[in-house]
Amino acid sequence: MEPIVSIKPFIAVLVSIAAVPLLLLSRRANIRESWTFIAATFKFLIVLSMLPVILKGHQMVFTLAEVVPGVAIRFRVDSLGMLFALVASSLWIVTSAYSIGYMRGLDEHSQTRYFCFFALALSATIGVAFSANLLTLYLFYEMLSLATYPLVTHHQDAEARASGRRYLTYILGASIGLALPAMLICYTQAGTLEFSNQGLLAGTASKGLVTLLLLMFLFGFAKAAIMPFHAWLPAAMVAPTPVSALLHAVAVVKVGVFSIVRVLTGVFGIDLLSTLHLDTLICIIASFTIIVGSLIALTQDNLKRLLAFSTIAQLSYIVLGVGLLSPKGMTGGMLHIAMHAFGKITLFFCAGAIFVATGKRNISEMKGLGRRMPLTMIAFFIGSLSIIGLPPTGGFMSKWYLVLGTLQADQIPILVVLLASSLLNAAYLFPITYRAFYCPPEESLCEKGIKEAPLWCVVPLAITSAISLVLFFYPGVFLRLAELVAAK
């Protein structure tokens, strides 16, 4: 089936870049925020307009320029890229609204710079989603690293600068030191960097070289936070909560796992991984990160750090799903990209709303908070259900397919890992809600004057928590796209 040539993928990437000059020229906050909403909505509508074509099994391509023979800056929209782009572009709209409430509520400085780099980060994210080859993916991957650095260091104090240095050391160091050499080796072996359903390395390299390349890509795309290349993520929590919410619960970290998934399916290919029995290696690395990340989350008192380690563990569910090499497992892994995004961004939104309303960061200070901020804590409970993987939330759907995938692949040890990690998730998330609502009045640490955060903070978290509930009953589009990825 011939792909459809269309400039739409390129326009989807350009939209938020084009918004940056308008943001810089806007002297009033209302105008600046209006341009942000217009760009976010336009980007989402462009992505949405390509969805019917992709659901029919077609692909859309656009070549910007050929660099060397066999290597071009090229865009391709398929089911995997569409799934990720839908999640990222839709949540940019919600996060833009949340950013207004958060940044105004705390009277943050440099808000224009903040919104400009946010827009650049979303362009890079969509660029990764729609990349047709390793070169294009790598260029946008690095663009995202540089665009998010000013967001991580937004507060410009000593802690922010130290965290920024760690962020770039891990993210750029791993990509330049591991992913870039691996890409060059792939080109020398295959003569192309174009992603292929059969894998571009099939029949071109020895098992030893393929194994080495696999490890270089797994750890080189450090945004996936696979241990031991994970320490940047908790450090990046010094950023404003909207940054943590979208970029470190959706865009940045999902770009990491998306890149790994794209490499596993488009560079190596499922058949090659199965033939060389590399599925076991992938599952061991992912399982280690899942369990250890969950155990560390249990020990955290700072809410954003707890959510950071939870994210580290949750990201590896996606890698694990692909590593199972079974259709159900891959479906579950792809579906978790969306389900985790809506659940985790809800939790980050709640953490930010709590900080705006109370100035509190630590879980131990939130006893009795449910009586003062009931909407926020109910949303937190719904987000927790989704992360744990319990009905009636979308997180149950992705974990259900992951469990089916372990049985389909006859991987009972991995089934044990999934069930154990879900119990650990419940152990560090449920007590937060319980103490917020069921703490005796005399033990409450929340002052009487506390009330819900501004509407610009509360409405977005209500929307994302409601979507987490809706996705349990109507996983429709995301499930169909995930099944199309697994069927290739």
Side-chain angles (χ1 to χ4, degrees), residues 214-245:
L214 175 65
L215 292 173
M216 290 174 75
F217 279 122
L218 283 176
F219 296 119
F221 290 122
K223 289 186 178 75
I226 292 177
M227 291 183 173
F229 290 80
H230 68 286
W232 66 268
L233 183 54
M237 290 301 115
V238 299
T241 300
V243 176
S244 303

mmCIF file of all heavy atoms in Angstrom, residues 214-245:
data_model
loop_
_atom_site.group_PDB
_atom_site.id
_atom_site.type_symbol
_atom_site.label_atom_id
_atom_site.label_comp_id
_atom_site.label_asym_id
_atom_site.label_seq_id
_atom_site.Cartn_x
_atom_site.Cartn_y
_atom_site.Cartn_z
ATOM 1 N N LEU A 214 21.622 -2.819 20.578
ATOM 2 C CA LEU A 214 20.406 -2.788 21.386
ATOM 3 C C LEU A 214 20.661 -2.079 22.717
ATOM 4 O O LEU A 214 19.885 -1.199 23.130
ATOM 5 C CB LEU A 214 19.906 -4.216 21.624
ATOM 6 C CG LEU A 214 18.706 -4.364 22.568
ATOM 7 C CD1 LEU A 214 17.472 -3.692 21.966
ATOM 8 C CD2 LEU A 214 18.421 -5.839 22.852
ATOM 9 N N LEU A 215 21.741 -2.429 23.384
ATOM 10 C CA LEU A 215 22.069 -1.808 24.663
ATOM 11 C C LEU A 215 22.397 -0.324 24.491
ATOM 12 O O LEU A 215 22.011 0.509 25.322
ATOM 13 C CB LEU A 215 23.252 -2.535 25.312
ATOM 14 C CG LEU A 215 22.976 -3.966 25.782
ATOM 15 C CD1 LEU A 215 24.268 -4.633 26.235
ATOM 16 C CD2 LEU A 215 21.954 -3.985 26.902
ATOM 17 N N MET A 216 23.081 0.017 23.398
ATOM 18 C CA MET A 216 23.427 1.423 23.150
ATOM 19 C C MET A 216 22.171 2.264 22.947
ATOM 20 O O MET A 216 22.083 3.397 23.430
ATOM 21 C CB MET A 216 24.353 1.518 21.939
ATOM 22 C CG MET A 216 25.743 0.961 22.187
ATOM 23 S SD MET A 216 26.780 0.928 20.699
ATOM 24 C CE MET A 216 27.188 2.679 20.537
ATOM 25 N N PHE A 217 21.177 1.723 22.261
ATOM 26 C CA PHE A 217 19.934 2.472 22.057
ATOM 27 C C PHE A 217 19.092 2.521 23.339
ATOM 28 O O PHE A 217 18.511 3.564 23.667
ATOM 29 C CB PHE A 217 19.120 1.850 20.919
ATOM 30 C CG PHE A 217 19.570 2.258 19.543
ATOM 31 C CD1 PHE A 217 19.956 1.309 18.612
ATOM 32 C CD2 PHE A 217 19.612 3.591 19.187
ATOM 33 C CE1 PHE A 217 20.377 1.684 17.339
ATOM 34 C CE2 PHE A 217 20.023 3.980 17.913
ATOM 35 C CZ PHE A 217 20.408 3.022 16.990
ATOM 36 N N LEU A 218 19.015 1.406 24.062
ATOM 37 C CA LEU A 218 18.207 1.381 25.282
ATOM 38 C C LEU A 218 18.687 2.418 26.293
ATOM 39 O O LEU A 218 17.887 3.120 26.919
ATOM 40 C CB LEU A 218 18.253 -0.016 25.916
ATOM 41 C CG LEU A 218 17.399 -1.123 25.285
ATOM 42 C CD1 LEU A 218 17.645 -2.452 25.981
ATOM 43 C CD2 LEU A 218 15.917 -0.763 25.345
ATOM 44 N N PHE A 219 19.998 2.518 26.451
ATOM 45 C CA PHE A 219 20.542 3.464 27.427
ATOM 46 C C PHE A 219 20.857 4.822 26.806
ATOM 47 O O PHE A 219 20.928 5.830 27.514
ATOM 48 C CB PHE A 219 21.789 2.878 28.083
ATOM 49 C CG PHE A 219 21.519 1.632 28.885
ATOM 50 C CD1 PHE A 219 22.120 0.427 28.549
ATOM 51 C CD2 PHE A 219 20.647 1.663 29.955
ATOM 52 C CE1 PHE A 219 21.861 -0.731 29.281
ATOM 53 C CE2 PHE A 219 20.379 0.513 30.694
ATOM 54 C CZ PHE A 219 20.987 -0.682 30.353
ATOM 55 N N GLY A 220 21.052 4.860 25.497
ATOM 56 C CA GLY A 220 21.354 6.116 24.818
ATOM 57 C C GLY A 220 20.175 7.073 24.806
ATOM 58 O O GLY A 220 20.353 8.283 24.899
ATOM 59 N N PHE A 221 18.959 6.526 24.681
ATOM 60 C CA PHE A 221 17.766 7.369 24.760
ATOM 61 C C PHE A 221 17.379 7.506 26.233
ATOM 62 O O PHE A 221 16.402 6.935 26.717
ATOM 63 C CB PHE A 221 16.627 6.766 23.932
ATOM 64 C CG PHE A 221 16.854 6.836 22.451
ATOM 65 C CD1 PHE A 221 16.863 5.693 21.672
ATOM 66 C CD2 PHE A 221 17.077 8.055 21.824
ATOM 67 C CE1 PHE A 221 17.075 5.762 20.300
ATOM 68 C CE2 PHE A 221 17.288 8.146 20.455
ATOM 69 C CZ PHE A 221 17.293 6.987 19.689
ATOM 70 N N ALA A 222 18.194 8.288 26.958
ATOM 71 C CA ALA A 222 18.089 8.364 28.418
ATOM 72 C C ALA A 222 16.818 9.048 28.892
ATOM 73 O O ALA A 222 16.495 8.992 30.078
ATOM 74 C CB ALA A 222 19.311 9.075 28.998
ATOM 75 N N LYS A 223 16.089 9.715 27.980
ATOM 76 C CA LYS A 223 14.815 10.296 28.393
ATOM 77 C C LYS A 223 13.840 9.218 28.857
ATOM 78 O O LYS A 223 12.876 9.520 29.563
ATOM 79 C CB LYS A 223 14.194 11.084 27.233
ATOM 80 C CG LYS A 223 14.911 12.381 26.893
ATOM 81 C CD LYS A 223 14.148 13.152 25.834
ATOM 82 C CE LYS A 223 14.819 14.479 25.506
ATOM 83 N NZ LYS A 223 16.018 14.322 24.683
ATOM 84 N N ALA A 224 14.064 7.963 28.462
ATOM 85 C CA ALA A 224 13.217 6.863 28.914
ATOM 86 C C ALA A 224 13.474 6.516 30.376
ATOM 87 O O ALA A 224 12.703 5.751 30.975
ATOM 88 C CB ALA A 224 13.430 5.626 28.036
ATOM 89 N N ALA A 225 14.554 7.049 30.954
ATOM 90 C CA ALA A 225 14.874 6.889 32.383
ATOM 91 C C ALA A 225 15.028 5.437 32.803
ATOM 92 O O ALA A 225 14.684 5.057 33.921
ATOM 93 C CB ALA A 225 13.809 7.573 33.248
ATOM 94 N N ILE A 226 15.558 4.610 31.902
ATOM 95 C CA ILE A 226 15.864 3.225 32.278
ATOM 96 C C ILE A 226 17.088 3.234 33.190
ATOM 97 O O ILE A 226 18.089 3.892 32.893
ATOM 98 C CB ILE A 226 16.134 2.370 31.024
ATOM 99 C CG1 ILE A 226 14.839 2.213 30.217
ATOM 100 C CG2 ILE A 226 16.697 1.008 31.392
ATOM 101 C CD1 ILE A 226 15.001 1.460 28.922
ATOM 102 N N MET A 227 17.001 2.544 34.296
ATOM 103 C CA MET A 227 18.115 2.521 35.241
ATOM 104 C C MET A 227 19.336 1.855 34.622
ATOM 105 O O MET A 227 19.191 0.854 33.923
ATOM 106 C CB MET A 227 17.688 1.787 36.520
ATOM 107 C CG MET A 227 16.660 2.577 37.303
ATOM 108 S SD MET A 227 16.214 1.768 38.852
ATOM 109 C CE MET A 227 15.199 3.051 39.584
ATOM 110 N N PRO A 228 20.545 2.404 34.846
ATOM 111 C CA PRO A 228 20.903 3.462 35.802
ATOM 112 C C PRO A 228 20.900 4.884 35.215
ATOM 113 O O PRO A 228 21.444 5.796 35.841
ATOM 114 C CB PRO A 228 22.310 3.052 36.213
ATOM 115 C CG PRO A 228 22.890 2.471 34.951
ATOM 116 C CD PRO A 228 21.745 1.762 34.274
ATOM 117 N N PHE A 229 20.300 5.090 34.039
ATOM 118 C CA PHE A 229 20.282 6.428 33.428
ATOM 119 C C PHE A 229 18.978 7.152 33.770
ATOM 120 O O PHE A 229 18.283 7.655 32.891
ATOM 121 C CB PHE A 229 20.449 6.306 31.909
ATOM 122 C CG PHE A 229 21.821 5.862 31.479
ATOM 123 C CD1 PHE A 229 22.189 4.529 31.531
ATOM 124 C CD2 PHE A 229 22.752 6.787 31.034
ATOM 125 C CE1 PHE A 229 23.457 4.121 31.142
ATOM 126 C CE2 PHE A 229 24.023 6.390 30.639
ATOM 127 C CZ PHE A 229 24.384 5.047 30.703
ATOM 128 N N HIS A 230 18.657 7.228 35.060
ATOM 129 C CA HIS A 230 17.365 7.750 35.500
ATOM 130 C C HIS A 230 17.472 8.969 36.417
ATOM 131 O O HIS A 230 16.471 9.651 36.646
ATOM 132 C CB HIS A 230 16.619 6.662 36.285
ATOM 133 C CG HIS A 230 17.277 6.341 37.595
ATOM 134 N ND1 HIS A 230 18.437 5.612 37.684
ATOM 135 C CD2 HIS A 230 16.954 6.688 38.871
ATOM 136 C CE1 HIS A 230 18.802 5.508 38.950
ATOM 137 N NE2 HIS A 230 17.930 6.152 39.694
ATOM 138 N N ALA A 231 18.661 9.255 36.930
ATOM 139 C CA ALA A 231 18.787 10.245 38.010
ATOM 140 C C ALA A 231 18.392 11.655 37.572
ATOM 141 O O ALA A 231 18.080 12.502 38.412
ATOM 142 C CB ALA A 231 20.213 10.248 38.554
ATOM 143 N N TRP A 232 18.390 11.930 36.262
ATOM 144 C CA TRP A 232 18.011 13.265 35.789
ATOM 145 C C TRP A 232 16.547 13.575 36.087
ATOM 146 O O TRP A 232 16.190 14.749 36.275
ATOM 147 C CB TRP A 232 18.256 13.378 34.276
ATOM 148 C CG TRP A 232 17.364 12.491 33.461
ATOM 149 C CD1 TRP A 232 17.625 11.219 33.048
ATOM 150 C CD2 TRP A 232 16.049 12.800 32.991
ATOM 151 N NE1 TRP A 232 16.554 10.718 32.341
ATOM 152 C CE2 TRP A 232 15.583 11.660 32.294
ATOM 153 C CE3 TRP A 232 15.226 13.918 33.092
ATOM 154 C CZ2 TRP A 232 14.321 11.618 31.701
ATOM 155 C CZ3 TRP A 232 13.967 13.882 32.503
ATOM 156 C CH2 TRP A 232 13.535 12.743 31.813
ATOM 157 N N LEU A 233 15.694 12.536 36.118
ATOM 158 C CA LEU A 233 14.255 12.777 36.226
ATOM 159 C C LEU A 233 13.851 13.329 37.598
ATOM 160 O O LEU A 233 13.167 14.360 37.668
ATOM 161 C CB LEU A 233 13.484 11.508 35.887
ATOM 162 C CG LEU A 233 11.955 11.603 35.869
ATOM 163 C CD1 LEU A 233 11.486 12.725 34.962
ATOM 164 C CD2 LEU A 233 11.328 10.287 35.416
ATOM 165 N N PRO A 234 14.255 12.704 38.709
ATOM 166 C CA PRO A 234 13.931 13.322 40.009
ATOM 167 C C PRO A 234 14.563 14.709 40.153
ATOM 168 O O PRO A 234 13.948 15.613 40.739
ATOM 169 C CB PRO A 234 14.521 12.332 41.024
ATOM 170 C CG PRO A 234 14.609 11.032 40.294
ATOM 171 C CD PRO A 234 14.908 11.392 38.874
ATOM 172 N N ALA A 235 15.773 14.888 39.608
ATOM 173 C CA ALA A 235 16.432 16.196 39.712
ATOM 174 C C ALA A 235 15.650 17.265 38.956
ATOM 175 O O ALA A 235 15.592 18.428 39.383
ATOM 176 C CB ALA A 235 17.855 16.106 39.154
ATOM 177 N N ALA A 236 15.024 16.882 37.835
ATOM 178 C CA ALA A 236 14.285 17.851 37.017
ATOM 179 C C ALA A 236 12.980 18.296 37.664
ATOM 180 O O ALA A 236 12.317 19.202 37.154
ATOM 181 C CB ALA A 236 14.001 17.245 35.640
ATOM 182 N N MET A 237 12.613 17.702 38.790
ATOM 183 C CA MET A 237 11.377 18.099 39.465
ATOM 184 C C MET A 237 11.456 19.480 40.114
ATOM 185 O O MET A 237 10.479 19.967 40.670
ATOM 186 C CB MET A 237 11.000 17.055 40.529
ATOM 187 C CG MET A 237 10.544 15.721 39.960
ATOM 188 S SD MET A 237 9.105 15.847 38.871
ATOM 189 C CE MET A 237 9.808 15.331 37.311
ATOM 190 N N VAL A 238 12.634 20.128 40.036
ATOM 191 C CA VAL A 238 12.727 21.514 40.528
ATOM 192 C C VAL A 238 11.992 22.467 39.578
ATOM 193 O O VAL A 238 11.742 23.617 39.927
ATOM 194 C CB VAL A 238 14.195 21.973 40.667
ATOM 195 C CG1 VAL A 238 14.929 21.096 41.670
ATOM 196 C CG2 VAL A 238 14.914 21.968 39.311
ATOM 197 N N ALA A 239 11.661 22.002 38.393
ATOM 198 C CA ALA A 239 10.962 22.835 37.415
ATOM 199 C C ALA A 239 9.551 23.151 37.900
ATOM 200 O O ALA A 239 8.996 22.445 38.755
ATOM 201 C CB ALA A 239 10.905 22.109 36.073
ATOM 202 N N PRO A 240 8.921 24.214 37.361
ATOM 203 C CA PRO A 240 7.515 24.479 37.693
ATOM 204 C C PRO A 240 6.656 23.257 37.381
ATOM 205 O O PRO A 240 6.942 22.511 36.445
ATOM 206 C CB PRO A 240 7.158 25.648 36.767
ATOM 207 C CG PRO A 240 8.457 26.335 36.490
ATOM 208 C CD PRO A 240 9.483 25.236 36.458
ATOM 209 N N THR A 241 5.597 23.066 38.159
ATOM 210 C CA THR A 241 4.787 21.854 38.028
ATOM 211 C C THR A 241 4.211 21.638 36.628
ATOM 212 O O THR A 241 4.151 20.499 36.174
ATOM 213 C CB THR A 241 3.664 21.852 39.080
ATOM 214 O OG1 THR A 241 4.257 21.895 40.374
ATOM 215 C CG2 THR A 241 2.824 20.596 38.971
ATOM 216 N N PRO A 242 3.763 22.679 35.889
ATOM 217 C CA PRO A 242 3.291 22.406 34.526
ATOM 218 C C PRO A 242 4.366 21.771 33.651
ATOM 219 O O PRO A 242 4.071 20.953 32.784
ATOM 220 C CB PRO A 242 2.903 23.796 34.002
ATOM 221 C CG PRO A 242 2.598 24.592 35.218
ATOM 222 C CD PRO A 242 3.550 24.089 36.260
ATOM 223 N N VAL A 243 5.636 22.151 33.883
ATOM 224 C CA VAL A 243 6.741 21.529 33.150
ATOM 225 C C VAL A 243 6.851 20.066 33.533
ATOM 226 O O VAL A 243 6.964 19.175 32.687
ATOM 227 C CB VAL A 243 8.067 22.271 33.429
ATOM 228 C CG1 VAL A 243 9.225 21.569 32.738
ATOM 229 C CG2 VAL A 243 7.972 23.719 32.997
ATOM 230 N N SER A 244 6.819 19.802 34.836
ATOM 231 C CA SER A 244 6.876 18.420 35.302
ATOM 232 C C SER A 244 5.712 17.617 34.745
ATOM 233 O O SER A 244 5.859 16.455 34.369
ATOM 234 C CB SER A 244 6.844 18.382 36.839
ATOM 235 O OG SER A 244 7.898 19.133 37.386
ATOM 236 N N ALA A 245 4.550 18.248 34.691
ATOM 237 C CA ALA A 245 3.342 17.546 34.274
ATOM 238 C C ALA A 245 3.398 17.113 32.819
ATOM 239 O O ALA A 245 3.271 15.926 32.509
ATOM 240 C CB ALA A 245 2.117 18.440 34.513
#
